[in-house]
Amino acid sequence: MSDVRHVLVLPDRDSAEEAAQALRVRFGIREEPRLVRDALAGEDDAEDAQWLVVLRDEEERLDPGELDEFAAQWDGWREEP
């Protein structure tokens, strides 16, 4: 098994939580995606934070293009590994 992970970058916590729920439904993900707050260096203000949705894809069954389109629904994107 591989240790493939996908990281979706989203603009705020609400969109990250919403996307994490929708990921499970749309892609049939069994494991709960992890949410991580990613603040810019030296910034404590929540307005300057991005939220990461991290999901494991050990079986490499998720299509990166579909994940790109999915993240774009919340004004986000998928980070390239």
Side-chain angles (χ1 to χ4, degrees):
M1 277 199 170
S2 69
D3 188 31
V4 174
R5 294 176 194 270
H6 299 283
V7 177
L8 306 181
V9 181
L10 298 164
D12 57 55
R13 183 180 186 150
D14 290 340
S15 59
E17 288 175 344
E18 200 174 305
Q21 289 289 329
L23 275 167
R24 295 184 81 188
V25 173
R26 179 167 173 189
F27 295 100
I29 296 169
R30 289 173 260 151
E31 185 177 321
E32 183 80 28
R34 253 186 24 190
L35 300 181
V36 179
R37 181 178 180 269
D38 183 33
L40 300 173
E43 298 291 336
D44 290 329
D45 189 357
E47 294 291 320
D48 295 322
Q50 296 174 328
W51 284 81
L52 309 179
V53 178
V54 181
L55 55 143
R56 291 172 30 159
D57 185 18
E58 293 173 345
E59 298 168 1
E60 297 185 48
R61 63 181 193 84
L62 300 174
D63 179 82
E66 286 184 44
L67 289 172
D68 286 333
E69 291 175 17
F70 179 83
Q73 294 175 15
W74 285 273
D75 297 322
W77 64 90
R78 182 185 56 85
E79 282 291 307
E80 289 292 330

